[in-house]
């Protein structure tokens, strides 16, 4: 049994970059090929051994709860019609009894605040945090890689990837003290530094494994950048006690919180599907040729 059994999914964001689509549909329910974004995050957590799934949601996000509920009428109709493939596709939306919890974040007060709301459900054990906007295409899920490494290091662990120095101001960045394979030991984290003062190009993306001591810091810290409770600030404050490690996961990350990243992820995951790849490659090649002619 994994030592990390619980995961928190902050899903209270409004998804304004995807308006008007997100006017009535939660951003996390937008389909990436034929699965909503939230399913990719949940599947990754399951692969890592997560048993309890805690969603920090908001008003207007009821579709997330409905998605993981049983659709008895739909299943009966599919069964009567002999649509075994469609029934099988619904299997991954089923959750064991008692495995799913929903909390409300009434006001958008930052990632740290969203995590803090889960304190009673997490209890006194290490837990994962997954941001569904960050979709990771990997042979083995990024969180599963991290859980294995965390069993050796303990402490707080964040997923990292190397980015061009010109882009570090869009990320939290590790101040790296040492490296051992994919694991780095950090002196701390800097939120969105200027390129000329960034301590490294090791950028933090939306996967965390946190020790329960983080909650004490989240309770006592005041608002940080943007007037929000920043998870980065809490991790830094807890560094002397818990330590902070980066894990350079193996895989490709897509920022599906942006339209550009979402479109790129759609193409990448579609090309992984044999039944879609051939026709899609032909379409992309034809469209590229047309664009070259216009240019």
């Amino acid at each position: 049994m994994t030592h990390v059994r619980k995961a928190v999914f902050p899903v209270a964001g409004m998804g304004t970059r995807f308006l008007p689509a997100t006017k009535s549909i939660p951003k996390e329910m937008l389909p990436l090929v034929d699965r909503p974004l939230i399913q990719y995050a949940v599947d990754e957590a399951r692969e890592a051994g997560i048993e309890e799934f805690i969603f920090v949601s908001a008003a207007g996000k009821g579709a997330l709860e409905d998605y993981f509920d049983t659709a008895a009428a739909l299943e009966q109709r599919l069964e009567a019609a002999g649509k075994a493939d469609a029934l099988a596709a619904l299997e991954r939306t089923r959750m064991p009894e008692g495995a799913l919890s929903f909390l409300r974040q009434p006001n958008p007060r930052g990632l740290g605040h969203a995590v803090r709301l889960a304190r009673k459900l997490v209890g006194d054990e290490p837990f994962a945090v997954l941001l569904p906007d960050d979709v990771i295409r990997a042979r083995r899920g990024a969180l599963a890689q991290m859980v294995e490494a965390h069993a050796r290091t303990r402490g707080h662990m964040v997923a990292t990837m190397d980015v061009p120095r010109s882009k570090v101001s869009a990320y939290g960045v590790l101040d790296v003290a040492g490296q051992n394979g994919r694991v780095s030991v950090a002196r701390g984290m800097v939120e969105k530094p200027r390129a000329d003062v960034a301590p490294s190009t090791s950028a933090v993306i939306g996967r965390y494994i946190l020790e329960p001591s983080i909650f004490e810091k989240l309770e006592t810290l005041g608002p940080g950048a943007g007037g929000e409770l920043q998870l980065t600030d809490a991790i830094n404050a807890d560094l002397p006690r818990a330590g902070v490690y980066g894990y350079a996961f193996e895989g490709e990350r897509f920022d599906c919180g942006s339209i550009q990243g979402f479109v790129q992820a759609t193409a990448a995951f579609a090309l992984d599907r044999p039944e879609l790849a051939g026709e899609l490659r032909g379409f992309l090649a034809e469209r590229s040729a047309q664009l070259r002619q216009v240019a």
Side-chain angles (χ1 to χ4, degrees), residues 208-224:
Y208 305 78
I209 298 177
L210 303 173
E211 296 293 338
S213 58
I214 196 70
F215 290 117
E216 294 178 24
K217 300 303 179 184
L218 289 170
E219 290 288 352
T220 56
L221 282 175

Side-chain angles (χ1 to χ4, degrees), residues 61-278:
K61 297 255 182 171
L64 285 166
E65 297 185 49
D66 293 341
Y67 177 76
F68 290 106
D69 201 354
T70 301
L74 173 61
E75 293 177 17
Q76 288 170 6
R77 291 177 63 182
L78 292 174
E79 188 171 359
K83 297 187 176 182
D85 289 346
L87 277 169
L90 293 178
E91 279 295 326
R92 66 176 64 203
T93 71
R94 293 194 177 97
M95 304 290 278
E97 283 189 14
L100 196 64
S101 301
F102 279 84
L103 301 170
R104 283 288 182 94
Q105 185 180 25
N107 298 302
R109 295 173 56 192
L111 178 57
H113 180 255
V115 171
R116 190 178 75 183
L117 290 174
R119 181 172 191 172
K120 289 183 180 179
L121 292 176
V122 168
D124 191 25
E125 58 185 282
F127 64 103
V129 177
L130 296 92
L131 307 188
D133 280 358
D134 283 333
V135 176
I136 299 173
R137 176 175 169 267
R139 180 184 57 82
R140 184 183 182 213
L143 187 63
Q145 299 174 44
M146 291 175 67
V147 166
E148 182 178 341
H150 185 264
R152 300 189 298 269
T153 65
R154 300 292 171 157
H156 302 308
M157 179 172 282
V158 298
T160 64
M161 66 180 190
D162 193 58
V163 299
R165 183 162 286 275
S166 61
K167 295 185 177 181
V168 294
S169 62
Y171 299 90
V173 175
L174 283 192
D175 183 356
V176 178
Q179 189 85 28
N180 182 12
R182 291 188 175 274
V183 177
S184 57
V185 181
R187 300 184 189 91
M189 298 164 58
V190 182
E191 190 66 31
K192 298 182 179 179
R194 297 197 322 265
D196 59 330
V197 297
S200 76
T201 55
S202 187
V204 177
I205 64 102
R207 301 292 184 274
Y208 305 78
I209 298 177
L210 303 173
E211 296 293 338
S213 58
I214 196 70
F215 290 117
E216 294 178 24
K217 300 303 179 184
L218 289 170
E219 290 288 352
T220 56
L221 282 175
E228 298 181 337
L229 185 56
Q230 298 291 342
L231 184 60
T232 297
D233 292 344
I235 292 173
N236 278 333
D238 204 36
L239 188 150
R241 174 168 50 177
V244 178
Y245 300 87
Y247 186 85
F249 63 92
E250 182 179 3
E252 183 179 12
R253 174 257 191 179
F254 295 93
D255 176 12
C256 289
S258 71
I259 293 177
Q260 184 77 273
F262 187 87
V263 171
Q264 291 171 357
T266 299
F269 280 94
L271 289 170
D272 285 340
R273 300 271 290 271
E275 74 275 20
L276 301 175

